[in-house]
Amino acid sequence: MSRYFWESAMPAHWDADQYLRYADLRGRPFADLLARVPELPPRPTVLDLGCGPGNSTAALRRRWPDARLLGLDSSPELLAKARGADGEPTAEYREQDVTAYDPAPERPDLIACNAALHWMDTDTADHLELLPRWAAALRPGGVIAFQLPGNFAAPSHTLLAGLRRTPRWRGRLAAARPDASCHDPERYARTLLAAGCAADVWESTYTMVLPGPDPVLEWVKGSTLRPVLDLLPEAGERAEFLAEYGALLRAAYPATEHGTLFPFRRVLAVAVRR
């Protein structure tokens, strides 16, 4: 996680507890991703790029208990959580701009990136440009495994973008750049193949059943909405914005007697360096 697609001198202030509120549901795509990663050498070097609060790092430790495990993230709030008992305290961590990081000196056997690649766009570079660098850093037979959201055309995102552009909010939220996005699976596959990897790229849509009142709003508070809230530090304005956005989400995702259904599309890729 990091600030990359927001036009701001300061990184987004991530709320690790809010992000982890739906940890089990958020973790399902990464579990499915790791199930497709082939066996690694004994005591592999594993990098978790954009490690966030350490939930992905903990999953990597469970899969490869003897690995040298290094997590990188630009958010000090999330790294503090990752280093604690709720993260994976046995790993090494660095506060690092992942877009500027060269993994080659580590000679990794696996580069993993969980729900973070889309945050790594910059004003001048697309996150696709990171993949050839990562592939070149791998040992022969090494693996890149990543998953990222593919739901940027969903109401959760389009309603937020539309609300930010209304006369009431466009002045306050003018510092926010357009929302992040992902590419089609074919484009990731082409990029990875061109980088000298065998590529397995697919997409899945998870229909989450979210409990409680305003669950979609609570979900996006831990991810997509975070940088927007940083631009609304005054409590009254923030409450007003959340009330407007929450009403839009309730109409788009009506509650049922079983909970609120929230389609959650992901793009996943496993690439092995030839």
Side-chain angles (χ1 to χ4, degrees):
M1 304 275 178
S2 68
R3 66 177 175 85
Y4 302 115
F5 78 86
W6 295 96
E7 189 70 57
S8 172
M10 294 297 291
H13 292 90
W14 292 95
D15 183 336
D17 291 330
Q18 183 70 34
Y19 180 78
L20 292 171
R21 180 170 179 174
Y22 296 102
D24 288 345
L25 295 177
R26 290 188 189 276
R28 284 184 57 195
F30 194 57
D32 291 345
L33 179 73
L34 293 188
R36 301 290 288 271
V37 174
E39 287 302 313
L40 300 179
R43 298 180 180 83
T45 294
V46 175
L47 308 184
D48 188 3
L49 302 186
C51 64
N55 52 316
S56 56
T57 321
L60 291 165
R61 175 64 76 204
R62 288 191 294 270
R63 174 71 188 272
W64 292 283
D66 296 326
R68 183 212 166 199
L69 186 53
L70 173 62
L72 279 72
D73 203 282
S74 64
S75 168
E77 298 95 340
L78 295 181
L79 285 174
K81 195 76 170 180
R83 292 185 175 102
D86 293 332
E88 180 45 58
T90 68
E92 305 171 50
Y93 292 100
R94 295 178 195 166
E95 187 176 333
Q96 173 81 51
D97 177 349
V98 178
T99 64
Y101 172 65
D102 179 9
E106 308 294 345
R107 298 287 289 158
D109 297 289
L110 171 64
I111 295 175
C113 187
N114 178 47
L117 194 58
H118 59 298
W119 293 99
M120 296 177 191
D121 288 333
T122 70
D123 290 337
T124 59
D126 185 289
H127 63 258
L128 276 177
E129 297 177 25
L130 296 172
L131 298 179
R133 185 200 310 169
W134 293 359
L138 294 170
R139 297 177 188 271
V143 182
I144 297 171
F146 64 83
Q147 68 90 15
L148 72 163
N151 60 341
F152 296 106
S156 54
H157 290 69
T158 59
L159 291 172
L160 176 59
L163 184 58
R164 291 201 324 255
R165 297 190 196 103
T166 60
R168 171 67 182 93
W169 297 111
R170 64 190 176 204
R172 296 293 290 116
L173 302 178
R177 288 173 56 189
D179 208 349
S181 64
C182 77
H183 299 286
D184 291 334
E186 180 182 353
R187 190 165 182 195
Y188 289 110
R190 288 182 180 276
T191 300
L192 292 165
L193 290 167
C197 295
D200 180 13
V201 186
W202 70 101
E203 62 179 83
S204 293
T205 298
Y206 300 80
T207 302
M208 306 295 190
V209 183
L210 304 181
D214 286 327
V216 179
L217 180 63
E218 293 301 315
W219 180 283
V220 297
K221 276 184 183 179
S223 53
T224 302
L225 197 54
R226 217 42 251 166
V228 174
L229 296 181
D230 278 353
L231 296 173
L232 297 172
E234 198 277 314
E237 274 194 327
R238 180 178 290 203
E240 181 185 351
F241 183 87
L242 289 175
E244 286 190 54
Y245 183 40
L248 293 171
L249 291 176
R250 286 193 296 275
Y253 301 96
T256 75
E257 61 181 311
H258 306 292
T260 298
L261 301 182
F262 181 55
F264 190 47
R265 177 178 176 260
R266 314 299 288 185
V267 176
L268 308 93
V270 173
V272 180
R273 182 180 175 184
R274 296 191 182 97

